[in-house]
Amino acid sequence: MARQEQVLQLEPPHELKFRGPFTDVVTATLKLSNPTDRNVCFKVKTTAPRRYCVRPNSGIIDAGTSINVSVMLQPFDYDPNEKSKHKFMVQSMLAPYDMTDMDQVWKDAKPEELMDSKLRCAFELPLENDKAHESESNTHVSSTPIKSELSSLPKSASSSLDDGEVKKIMEECKRLQMEVQRLRDENKQIREDDGLRKRKVTSMASSPHSSSSQAMMREEGLSTRVLALCVLFFVIGVIVGKLAL
């Protein structure tokens, strides 16, 4: 018996494009929409599971809703002469009304109940003028923690992540948090250095006034000593004059 036609709407429908450079993780987004009045179970499979990280890789799409699947290509040495043979398959089935265990539903599914769609993978490098634009825009990318991204996923989808993917996500989250803390420390150090420079400038600006004040104090002290000596000589002169008489 022939399989049912795919009820999910895929965007893009036939090809996932990954745009380099491929020295870092490159992410493509696959949007799955469910236009039916039934909940739909889905799985995302690939012919190269070690080269990609997919989240969520399975879950349930409620009736009339959609979900974004992030497909992350791991860094590799790109050869423009090598054509990509990697493929993805989105497998789906209508969720039973009394479903309690999604894993068991997949195990019990009959071949005629399954629907699937296949996508090719395409790699491309940006043009030279695009590289400058991307490098400029990357400096303004927000460092939103991955935890918030996970919390925004549907509950059914986020709960379907396996332990290996959760570990990768947490490691990435930890790395981003360390990077954010490093940037905060650098920003704090810059502010402290700027404050120190301002204090030095203020001190230098006020130094002529303070030096003149010190000079005035020294002159006042010298005048006081001279006056005291004059009084002392006067007293001595009076005493000697009396003795002479």
Side-chain angles (χ1 to χ4, degrees):
M1 185 176 178
R3 290 190 176 186
Q4 298 185 40
E5 185 178 353
Q6 177 67 271
V7 297
L8 294 179
Q9 296 176 351
L10 280 63
E11 185 181 343
H14 305 297
E15 186 178 71
L16 286 174
K17 291 186 178 180
F18 297 89
R19 199 171 193 190
F22 301 99
T23 55
D24 201 353
V25 175
V26 180
T27 302
T29 300
L30 173 64
K31 183 178 181 180
L32 304 178
S33 301
N34 177 13
T36 70
D37 57 356
R38 292 277 302 273
N39 293 348
V40 176
C41 302
F42 77 94
K43 281 185 177 181
V44 181
K45 299 181 178 180
T46 178
T47 56
R50 295 185 178 181
R51 298 286 294 275
Y52 299 89
C53 178
V54 182
R55 67 172 187 266
N57 61 355
S58 62
I60 300 176
I61 306 177
D62 296 335
T65 64
S66 61
I67 187 174
N68 288 331
V69 177
S70 296
V71 182
M72 290 162 284
L73 173 63
Q74 303 304 306
F76 72 103
D77 294 329
Y78 175 68
D79 183 0
N81 297 320
E82 179 183 357
K83 293 185 178 180
S84 172
K85 297 180 180 179
H86 302 165
K87 294 181 181 179
F88 276 83
M89 181 175 69
V90 178
Q91 197 171 49
S92 64
M93 65 177 295
L94 297 176
Y97 292 105
D98 57 349
M99 185 185 69
T100 56
D101 187 349
M102 188 169 62
D103 291 336
Q104 190 62 41
V105 169
W106 284 107
K107 291 179 182 179
D108 297 339
K110 299 177 182 179
E112 60 270 17
E113 296 176 339
L114 300 177
M115 299 167 281
D116 59 63
S117 299
K118 296 180 180 179
L119 299 96
R120 300 183 301 271
C121 295
F123 303 152
E124 58 183 26
L125 287 174
L127 300 176
E128 291 299 327
N129 56 348
D130 292 339
K131 288 182 181 180
H133 176 71
E134 287 184 1
S135 61
E136 180 180 352
S137 61
N138 286 339
T139 59
H140 303 287
V141 172
S142 173
S143 58
T144 306
I146 294 181
K147 287 184 178 179
S148 61
E149 182 181 345
L150 287 175
S151 63
S152 64
L153 292 173
K155 183 177 180 181
S156 58
S158 59
S159 61
S160 63
L161 295 176
D162 56 40
D163 294 340
E165 291 175 342
V166 171
K167 185 176 180 181
K168 289 181 180 179
I169 294 171
M170 295 306 296
E171 289 176 353
E172 182 68 12
C173 179
K174 184 177 179 181
R175 185 185 68 80
L176 289 176
Q177 288 176 340
M178 292 176 64
E179 182 68 15
V180 170
Q181 185 60 43
R182 184 182 67 81
L183 293 175
R184 286 177 178 172
D185 293 341
E186 289 181 359
N187 191 25
K188 181 180 178 182
Q189 185 62 40
I190 291 173
R191 289 200 302 267
E192 290 178 353
D193 293 342
D194 187 56
L196 181 59
R197 286 194 296 270
K198 288 182 179 179
R199 288 195 295 271
K200 286 183 177 179
V201 170
T202 304
S203 176
M204 292 175 64
S206 61
S207 60
H209 177 72
S210 60
S211 60
S212 61
S213 299
Q214 293 176 359
M216 291 177 63
M217 292 177 65
R218 285 196 295 268
E219 290 176 0
E220 290 177 359
L222 181 60
S223 300
T224 303
R225 288 194 293 271
V226 171
L227 181 60
L229 288 173
C230 292
V231 172
L232 179 60
F233 289 148
F234 176 78
V235 173
I236 294 174
V238 172
I239 294 173
V240 171
K242 289 183 177 182
L243 291 176
L245 293 175

